[in-house]
Amino acid sequence: QIDLVEYGGGSVQSGGSLRLSCLASGYTRSAESMGWFRQVPGKEREGVAAIDNDRSINYGDFVEGRFTLFHDTAKNTLTLQMNSLKPEDTAMYYCAASLIKMRRHSLLEDKWYYYWGQGTPVTVSS
């Protein structure tokens, strides 16, 4: 069992920054990958950024260099630094963990992730 709790969501203006943190607890050593996903009501969930135990990171195409993912394994914390935020980044952001060792190109596929946090909202106003 892995428990995930997200922090750091909020409201910012376009061009602003937010830092999302995810604290993992439980059997965290079993996690092969961790990542951030987001979802807007009525749309499919999409992968934002994810990292595996080999430290390979994959970002969604829409990130375009604006976000940076950090994984502090000692503190069991996954952090997503988001800069140059746009109104289209508005969504509920979820932290997730996977027990499956996958290829890098699969890191952003939510079907491989079993453990999910409750989500933290991000709102970007124009």
Side-chain angles (χ1 to χ4, degrees), residues 27-72:
Y27 197 49
T28 57
R29 290 184 177 182
S30 63
E32 290 287 342
S33 306
M34 291 188 68
W36 285 94
F37 295 79
R38 69 185 189 183
Q39 188 169 25
V40 175
K43 294 189 176 181
E44 292 188 355
R45 187 163 50 196
E46 62 181 347
V48 178
I51 185 171
D52 64 17
N53 283 345
D54 294 327
R55 314 298 288 178
S56 293
I57 298 177
N58 210 356
Y59 293 97
D61 291 340
F62 57 86
V63 172
E64 299 175 324
R66 301 178 296 128
F67 300 172
T68 305
L69 187 68
F70 303 96
H71 188 201
D72 187 335

